[in-house]
Amino acid sequence: MNKQAELDSLLQQVAVSGENLTGTDRRDFLRKGLTFLGAASATAAAAHMPAVKAALPPEEPAYGKTLGKPVLFAPYGTPSKYESHVQRRTVEWLTPDRISSISFTPLADLKGIITPSGVMFERYHAGLPDVKPQEHHLMIHGMVERPIILSMDDLMRFPSVSKIHFVECPANGGMEWRGAQMNRLQFSHGMIGCAEWTGVLLSTLLEEVGVKPEGKWILAEGADGSHMSRSIPLEKALDDTLVVYAQNGEMLRPEQGYPVRLVNPGWEGNTSIKWLRRLEIGDQPWYHREETSKYTDLMPDGRSREFTFVQECNSVVTNPCPEKPMMKPGKVWVEGLAWSGRGKIKHVDVSFDGGVTWREAKFTSEVFPRALTRFGLEWDWQGQPAMIQSRAIDDTGFVQPTYGQLRAARGENSIYHKNAIHTWKVNADGSVVNVQIS
């Protein structure tokens, strides 16, 4: 462990140790903490960090005695330089190049349920296009009464809505299908993000064009080099599908489909077509490449499931995890995320013995349909090995399955829709590794 890591470890131990103390215990903790932080300062100095003397209360820190940077120093704000480690990452061997590839959301470092736009996972099929909004148009045609071509200005004249939903690649966790492989939460579950999406309900646009009675499906196509396309049933389009131009209060970022994309809440992320250029209404699905040779689920008998749109009920513990090991024995706040494309999360249990016994977790965020839900509970860890799992149940009664249950139904040949109960093994030294329990 390098000196900076040692310092981070020391500071986290102080933070963890100070939780849930009152009265004499808290005063004793604070006295010990001053000595502890003095040791941390020495560690920082040894690591050749800037020679800044730590000012402990009631001392005044140096930055409290000088003027800071002026207004508009950064006209578009950026995260603190001390948080620069929070970023998307890739698995180098996952794809042959980065043109048709994916990056992963740093789930372990995020708070709440909203994924910052700058770290939400990316999925490209032909690289990142540079789409000029003034030149981009959305065409709606096919089995409609009044075909239209909308500019971005035209689109933004329609009534808008804002909704919080997750978007998840169906291959999220797919590398784990046959066994534990990725010893990092970011790589085992990071093909997901949850955002506030702003745009126009697709049903509003379909009302404008007038769908003919024989229209039953919609082909959504993107403007990138792959012209990524998916067939979407009209029922979904009329329910909650969004034509989106903004994310988390700002216009879409290029990685997320600027200037306009679809969001199909709770469905496979590949159906939420980015850089959306046209919607064609027809009487049957199109069976394009991405819904025949791709995004189908190979079953044990050799047949493949198709149009498996819904992302099933799922959950994962985000602390502790390999990126967030246990620092020292004592009380710790165990937390995680749960989600379901079928509706709202109703209940989450957590086990510390590999599923032998379970404890009910508390919801620590708002609970929205088809959105990430944060949960947590307190655990008194005394240095013993543990097997931590979470199990989510949604409001339709769907219970997150074990690996044994999932493989009994689906075999081991798929890479999509892996939503089995996940296990983190906590070792006696506090390290956390990825394992699997059937």
Side-chain angles (χ1 to χ4, degrees):
M1 182 182 292
N2 60 37
K3 296 297 183 181
Q4 179 62 52
E6 289 183 51
L7 176 59
D8 293 341
S9 174
L10 290 172
L11 293 175
Q12 186 167 349
Q13 289 180 49
V14 170
V16 171
S17 300
E19 293 178 354
N20 306 308
L21 297 179
T22 59
T24 303
D25 289 340
R26 185 175 295 281
R27 289 192 292 273
D28 182 60
F29 164 75
L30 290 172
R31 284 195 296 271
K32 293 178 180 179
L34 293 176
T35 302
F36 195 82
L37 282 174
S41 298
T43 301
H48 305 291
M49 294 177 68
V52 178
K53 180 179 179 296
L56 299 175
E59 295 181 64
E60 182 76 14
Y63 53 78
K65 301 176 182 178
T66 60
L67 294 175
K69 295 180 176 66
V71 170
L72 288 185
F73 172 80
Y76 190 92
T78 57
S80 166
K81 62 183 178 182
Y82 304 110
E83 301 298 324
S84 60
H85 63 285
V86 182
Q87 57 184 261
R88 291 179 286 230
R89 291 180 172 84
T90 61
V91 175
E92 295 299 326
W93 49 262
L94 184 60
T95 54
D97 57 51
R98 293 197 180 186
I99 298 301
S100 181
S101 189
I102 196 162
S103 69
F104 297 78
T105 302
L107 293 177
D109 293 299
L110 302 186
K111 311 300 179 186
I113 62 173
I114 299 297
T115 307
S117 302
V119 294
M120 187 162 178
F121 82 103
E122 308 157 279
R123 174 67 166 110
Y124 303 148
H125 291 81
L128 176 61
D130 180 13
V131 181
K132 297 179 175 61
Q134 299 85 352
E135 299 176 1
H136 188 76
H137 292 80
L138 170 61
M139 179 170 63
I140 305 178
H141 65 119
M143 293 180 175
V144 298
E145 301 293 344
R146 298 172 295 278
I148 57 173
I149 296 178
L150 299 171
S151 68
M152 288 305 301
D153 287 340
D154 295 332
L155 180 62
M156 295 178 70
R157 290 191 179 98
F158 284 88
S160 68
V161 296
S162 294
K163 302 285 186 178
I164 295 175
H165 293 298
F166 74 80
V167 173
E168 181 183 22
C169 178
N172 196 17
M175 293 176 286
E176 304 281 297
W177 197 271
R178 292 184 178 87
Q181 183 170 212
M182 309 307 298
N183 202 39
R184 190 180 181 97
L185 169 62
Q186 186 166 12
F187 296 146
S188 68
H189 288 80
M191 297 183 194
I192 191 171
C194 185
E196 180 191 65
W197 306 101
T198 299
V200 182
L201 283 168
L202 180 51
S203 58
T204 300
L205 299 179
L206 294 180
E207 183 179 359
E208 182 75 11
V209 299
V211 177
K212 294 181 178 180
E214 60 268 33
K216 303 299 181 184
W217 287 78
I218 297 178
L219 179 71
E221 182 183 83
D224 63 321
S226 72
H227 284 250
M228 175 68 184
S229 59
R230 284 302 309 265
S231 302
I232 300 166
L234 186 64
E235 291 85 355
K236 179 66 171 177
L238 294 175
D239 180 18
D240 59 359
T241 300
L242 297 165
V243 177
V244 165
Y245 47 74
Q247 176 185 3
N248 294 339
E250 64 179 3
M251 299 303 285
L252 287 169
R253 300 217 173 170
E255 301 95 324
Q256 299 304 324
Y258 181 85
V260 62
R261 68 174 294 170
L262 274 191
V263 169
N264 278 305
W267 280 24
E268 295 180 346
N270 58 76
T271 69
S272 293
I273 300 296
K274 297 190 287 187
W275 314 293
L276 185 67
R277 67 179 293 267
R278 75 182 181 101
L279 296 165
E280 181 180 354
I281 288 75
D283 59 357
Q284 59 185 335
W286 276 257
Y287 298 104
H288 280 187
R289 184 180 76 100
E290 303 298 342
E291 48 203 14
T292 52
S293 67
K294 309 296 181 185
Y295 300 119
T296 55
D297 312 310
L298 185 60
M299 302 295 284
D301 62 2
R303 294 183 297 172
S304 291
R305 302 193 310 166
E306 63 183 2
F307 301 131
T308 52
F309 296 117
V310 178
Q311 293 294 101
E312 294 90 347
C313 186
N314 207 341
S315 70
V316 66
V317 170
T318 60
N319 181 55
C321 68
E323 295 99 310
K324 301 290 181 181
M326 303 293 291
M327 303 310 299
K328 62 182 297 186
K331 292 186 183 299
V332 62
W333 184 248
V334 175
E335 62 181 338
L337 295 166
W339 61 98
S340 175
R342 300 161 60 93
K344 288 184 178 180
I345 293 296
K346 182 179 180 180
H347 186 94
V348 177
D349 292 317
V350 174
S351 176
F352 298 99
D353 54 18
V356 177
T357 61
W358 296 90
R359 289 175 52 192
E360 183 178 359
K362 301 176 182 177
F363 292 148
T364 58
S365 71
E366 295 293 330
V367 181
F368 299 108
R370 300 175 180 88
L372 292 184
T373 299
R374 189 165 285 272
F375 63 86
L377 77 170
E378 193 173 67
W379 180 40
D380 190 4
W381 182 63
Q382 295 302 318
Q384 74 277 23
M387 297 283 191
I388 301 183
Q389 300 178 329
S390 62
R391 178 183 63 192
I393 303 171
D394 66 27
D395 60 358
T396 71
F398 187 101
V399 181
Q400 187 179 353
T402 65
Y403 271 102
Q405 292 168 332
L406 185 65
R407 288 171 177 148
R410 301 272 304 283
E412 296 184 348
N413 295 320
S414 184
I415 61 171
Y416 302 120
H417 296 274
K418 196 283 295 176
N419 67 320
I421 292 172
H422 191 81
T423 308
W424 297 126
K425 180 184 178 183
V426 178
N427 296 313
D429 64 359
S431 61
V432 181
V433 295
N434 180 13
V435 299
Q436 286 189 7
I437 297 175
S438 297

